[in-house]
Amino acid sequence: RNLFSGAGAVLSQHALFGHSIRSGKSMRFNTGVKGDELFFIVKYGPVHVSLNGQERDLDKGSVVFLLPGDEVVFTNKRKDDVEIYEMQMRSATPDPARGTGAGPSFMMDWYDMEYRPHDRGGVRQLFDRKTVMTNRFDIHITSLNPGISSHPAHTHANEEIILMIDGEGEMILGEKKQHITTGDAAWVESMIPHNITNLGKRPAVYFAIQWN
């Protein structure tokens, strides 16, 4: 399903999709050297992933980043469905040298991500790098304790997607307050005040995906 699609100040086209893969089936992604840049999050796994000669089983919260021209295959070896998110990114001024110079396509297992606790919960900083489509692509995962706010409502120049992977909360977006729960995504424009407060009785876990 298409969670949203549109354009922003940096990306001429970006979209977020949810995919279900049935037992014994595979999904292959390759946009070509002049195609979109792709970012994947495992919503429900484990799912077997083949990327650039590497083979791994990735569980919930694990990620894959795919440069244009590369290929990734997700294979479901379970007896029930697995689910992944796919984020597509396209810029009017792509820079292949900038992207490949920052490093290759890659995957990261949830269990390999360093967790750093703090007084509100904790954070996993996945990466912060240049890409073909962006000057800076920054991903971190926040774990927010019950009853706690991420921070006072603030603004930043980066555009951002918030993707809740576990829990529920109230999100301030500009002058509005909106309920956000597992599987929901929010689009935050540049310089729009925003924050999240955990309304649940367990930690709320969400991806913060920023770029400029």
Side-chain angles (χ1 to χ4, degrees):
R1 62 192 180 103
N2 186 348
L3 297 175
F4 65 79
S5 60
V10 175
L11 297 173
S12 59
Q13 177 65 30
H14 61 93
L16 185 66
F17 295 92
H19 299 286
S20 293
I21 308 174
R22 293 182 178 177
S23 177
K25 301 297 183 180
S26 298
M27 291 191 72
R28 185 182 306 268
F29 297 87
N30 184 339
T31 62
V33 294
K34 294 185 178 180
D36 295 344
E37 211 159 43
L38 304 180
F39 178 68
F40 302 90
I41 300 169
V42 178
K43 180 181 180 183
Y44 177 70
V47 60
H48 186 76
V49 181
S50 302
L51 172 67
N52 292 343
Q54 301 179 57
E55 307 271 340
R56 293 196 72 173
D57 291 324
L58 299 182
D59 214 335
K60 177 181 177 179
S62 302
V63 303
V64 177
F65 176 71
L66 193 70
L67 290 166
D70 284 351
E71 182 174 272
V72 63
V73 180
F74 296 89
T75 302
N76 181 6
K77 296 183 177 181
R78 296 175 58 97
K79 293 182 179 180
D80 55 353
D81 290 358
V82 298
E83 298 180 29
I84 60 174
Y85 294 103
E86 174 202 3
M87 180 177 170
Q88 300 176 353
M89 299 174 287
R90 185 186 315 155
S91 169
T93 57
D95 187 341
R98 177 180 63 197
T100 56
S105 301
F106 63 87
M107 49 185 161
M108 295 181 67
D109 189 284
W110 173 266
Y111 300 104
D112 293 337
M113 299 173 186
E114 180 185 2
Y115 179 73
R116 294 179 298 182
H118 52 58
D119 58 348
R120 299 180 307 281
V123 65
R124 292 171 171 87
Q125 179 65 50
L126 274 61
F127 59 89
D128 186 346
R129 60 169 281 176
K130 298 178 184 294
T131 76
V132 173
M133 303 299 173
T134 66
N135 290 311
R136 180 189 178 202
F137 193 46
D138 174 18
I139 309 283
H140 61 272
I141 305 170
T142 292
S143 180
L144 191 61
N145 289 334
I148 300 296
S149 294
S150 53
H151 43 65
H154 71 175
T155 65
H156 46 66
N158 291 350
E159 297 175 311
E160 184 174 25
I161 291 173
I162 300 295
L163 177 62
M164 183 75 76
I165 62 170
D166 193 24
E168 63 174 324
E170 180 181 78
M171 186 165 188
I172 292 176
L173 276 174
E175 297 180 356
K176 297 180 179 179
K177 293 182 178 180
Q178 190 167 332
H179 187 256
I180 185 169
T181 190
T182 302
D184 289 346
W187 156 245
V188 183
E189 296 182 58
S190 175
M191 304 309 294
I192 295 295
H194 62 281
N195 78 348
I196 293 178
T197 300
N198 183 357
L199 299 180
K201 295 182 179 180
R202 67 179 190 273
V205 182
Y206 58 90
F207 276 77
I209 307 169
Q210 299 186 18
W211 62 90
N212 60 34

